Amino acid sequence: MNLHPFESPTFEMACRQFDLVADVLEIPEAMRDRLKMPKRAMTVTMPVRMDDGRVQVFVGHRVQHHLTLGPTKGGVRFHPEVTLGEVAALAMWMSWKCALVGLPYGGAKGGVACDPRQLSRGELERLTRRYTQELIPVIGPQVDIPAPDVGSDEQVMAWMMDTYSSQVGHAVPGVVTGKPVLLGGSLGRREATGRGVAYLVSRAFDTLGLPMQGARAVVQGYGNVGSVAAAAMADHGLKVIAVADVSGAIHDERGLDLKALDAHVAKTGSVLGFAGAQAMDPAAMLELPCEVLVPAAMERQITEHNAGRIACRILAEGANGPTTPKADEILSQRPEIFVIPDILCNSGGVIVSYFEWVQDLQSFFWTQGEVMDRLYRLLEQAFVQTLELSRRRHLSMRLAALSLGVGRVHEAKLRRGLYP
Ligand code: GLU
């Protein structure tokens, strides 16, 4: 099938992964396109008044991958390189992720091609509100529920919730997740993805029989996922020796003082220039010898060019799609590396988003302890099921996780049947 209009390296990558899984699951040819291709996609152009009086037109997308199990769910990305194809790939991964951890959602993703770092707060607010306005026909608590992703945050979710609520005439907290707690957000949501990464890293250490105390971690991406994962791994006794963000990478073999680093980032906006650490080439950072490598930035970072040289025992994918299928082929020849695949590793975020949505629908809120307890239970179940399938069928952890996710969506489509 022609991939247009989604054709892009990231969508091709998601399709390649799907095809491998479809072979493992022996999904009939006739079902494959139905499972793979996004159900709906919307592209909008948005004129936004800038602070200097000019009107700038931005392009945004929302892709809903399948509607078989409930509303669709997924983040909104504000990044200069956002394309429809990338958003479609990210929506597909959300589908497999939600099914893997047992959430009653299809996958979705949204994105606007913009650089939020170059926008003033007022410009970002006007863009967010205009984007939400354009999406009103296709979002809603029973239809599609956006959340934060790269470049968006709690404040963006608050504006989305306000814009949607103003249109329907009453407060609708369940239309987005990852909101401020005051507006119906969930305790623990902000930290959920990073804490989930650290929980699964600790399970990987158990599985390999390695000690965590003093083990070295390298983190690419120091945003909401990477910084929280780093702190949570340090709580488990790991030493974070290098981190990178968009501006560059820093390294200190003795272990970075993360509290001081967070204060530096809050003040300067980047990890560079942190006292006591040496700046280093961000690409070389991925190849530093360490026990845990956490790519927590963008997709396609571990490729056929560096997969043979990464020097970790555990690859914990905090980002979506950080490892290409060609890199996976190389990693399959390197059994010393234990991969915690993205759809498992970063699923803590959407799991707590689900808890937030449930709390909003019931107007009944949980304690932090209840949220974290339930989060770890779902992660544990998904980790054990993935590991078990990987061992029983001799599959990579990625193929095992994807098989569980894709298999459940496939089964659900068969059960519902084809209408008319
Ligand atoms: N953007 C996050 C992800 O990629 C969270 C999505 C959500 O909470 O709906 O998983």
Side-chain angles (χ1 to χ4, degrees):
M1 180 168 182
N2 192 335
L3 297 183
H4 288 298
F6 305 110
E7 210 162 340
S8 75
T10 309
F11 191 68
E12 268 167 46
M13 172 181 157
C15 288
R16 172 84 192 121
Q17 289 178 345
F18 172 85
D19 293 340
L20 292 171
V21 176
D23 289 343
V24 169
L25 295 175
E26 297 177 21
I27 294 174
E29 217 45 67
M31 272 297 286
R32 293 193 182 191
D33 277 346
R34 203 175 139 200
L35 270 163
K36 181 162 71 176
M37 297 310 282
K39 179 72 186 173
R40 294 180 184 148
M42 181 165 173
T43 292
V44 293
T45 52
M46 299 164 287
V48 174
R49 195 166 302 283
M50 308 303 278
D51 290 348
D52 62 7
R54 276 179 316 122
V55 173
Q56 191 173 329
V57 176
F58 292 87
V59 179
H61 314 279
R62 184 79 185 165
V63 175
Q64 300 170 350
H65 180 251
H66 80 83
L67 311 179
T68 308
L69 288 167
T72 48
K73 187 88 194 76
V76 173
R77 177 170 292 198
F78 288 165
H79 190 274
E81 271 139 49
V82 160
T83 63
L84 177 62
E86 181 197 39
V87 172
L90 291 161
M92 199 192 314
W93 287 325
M94 285 306 299
S95 288
W96 316 144
K97 188 187 314 190
C98 290
L100 169 65
V101 294
L103 310 182
Y105 294 134
K109 200 70 146 205
V112 177
C114 68
D115 185 351
R117 294 162 70 102
Q118 303 296 325
L119 298 176
S120 70
R121 186 182 161 93
E123 288 167 344
L124 186 64
E125 175 173 356
R126 291 192 291 280
L127 175 59
T128 301
R129 289 186 181 280
R130 183 66 194 234
Y131 177 64
T132 311
Q133 172 74 48
E134 300 291 349
L135 292 189
I136 281 185
V138 298
I139 60 171
Q142 301 299 341
V143 185
D144 180 13
I145 306 128
D149 194 77
V150 175
S152 65
D153 60 10
E154 281 179 13
Q155 182 56 63
V156 168
M157 293 305 119
W159 290 325
M160 291 190 80
M161 180 267 190
D162 180 70
T163 307
Y164 184 87
S165 299
S166 303
Q167 293 292 319
V168 298
H170 56 90
V172 187
V175 66
V176 289
T177 59
K179 301 175 290 295
V181 171
L182 186 63
L183 299 179
S186 178
L187 293 169
R189 173 63 185 85
R190 191 189 303 158
E191 303 81 18
T193 315
R195 292 246 177 104
V197 169
Y199 177 81
L200 293 163
V201 163
S202 77
R203 296 295 286 111
F205 272 93
D206 295 344
T207 306
L208 298 174
L210 292 173
M212 290 184 84
Q213 200 59 43
R216 297 158 300 175
V218 170
V219 180
Q220 182 202 37
Y222 205 68
N224 184 45
V225 178
S227 67
V228 175
M233 288 191 297
D235 288 344
H236 279 99
L238 268 83
K239 193 167 78 167
V240 178
I241 59 164
V243 301
D245 63 14
V246 277
S247 54
I250 55 167
H251 177 211
D252 183 352
E253 202 57 32
R254 296 165 304 176
L256 298 159
D257 175 346
L258 297 175
K259 283 213 170 65
L261 176 60
D262 289 346
H264 172 81
V265 171
K267 208 164 98 198
T268 67
S270 101
V271 299
L272 280 187
F274 179 56
Q278 298 85 49
M280 82 176 291
D281 171 30
M285 186 194 79
L286 295 176
E287 298 170 18
L288 281 175
C290 60
E291 279 65 48
V292 189
L293 174 60
V294 184
M298 300 297 283
E299 52 273 11
R300 293 185 299 116
Q301 300 298 305
I302 318 269
T303 66
E304 73 260 42
H305 305 297
N306 60 4
R309 290 199 302 268
I310 62 171
C312 59
R313 292 298 312 279
I314 297 165
L315 177 62
E317 298 182 338
N320 291 309
T323 308
T324 65
K326 282 213 172 99
D328 272 336
E329 278 172 34
I330 295 168
L331 293 180
S332 71
Q333 305 302 314
R334 300 191 60 192
E336 74 278 16
I337 299 182
F338 184 92
V339 178
I340 312 173
D342 53 358
I343 61 167
L344 172 63
C345 194
N346 67 38
S347 64
V350 73
I351 291 175
V352 177
S353 274
Y354 165 62
F355 298 159
E356 179 172 331
W357 178 73
V358 167
Q359 293 170 75
D360 289 339
L361 294 183
Q362 301 186 339
S363 300
F364 183 71
F365 292 88
W366 310 354
T367 63
Q368 171 104 10
E370 284 169 316
V371 170
M372 299 315 284
D373 212 52
R374 287 182 201 251
L375 166 63
Y376 294 139
R377 259 189 277 160
L378 288 193
L379 287 175
E380 178 65 24
Q381 183 175 306
F383 180 79
V384 169
Q385 287 176 356
T386 304
L387 189 62
E388 194 274 326
L389 182 64
S390 141
R391 286 179 170 166
R392 184 160 48 81
R393 299 267 328 255
H394 306 290
L395 299 171
S396 67
M397 284 291 279
R398 180 174 333 280
L399 268 180
L402 285 167
S403 298
L404 289 166
V406 173
R408 285 173 189 157
V409 178
H410 177 219
E411 187 75 17
K413 282 200 188 284
L414 292 178
R415 287 289 181 137
R416 280 190 60 163
L418 191 58
Y419 175 85

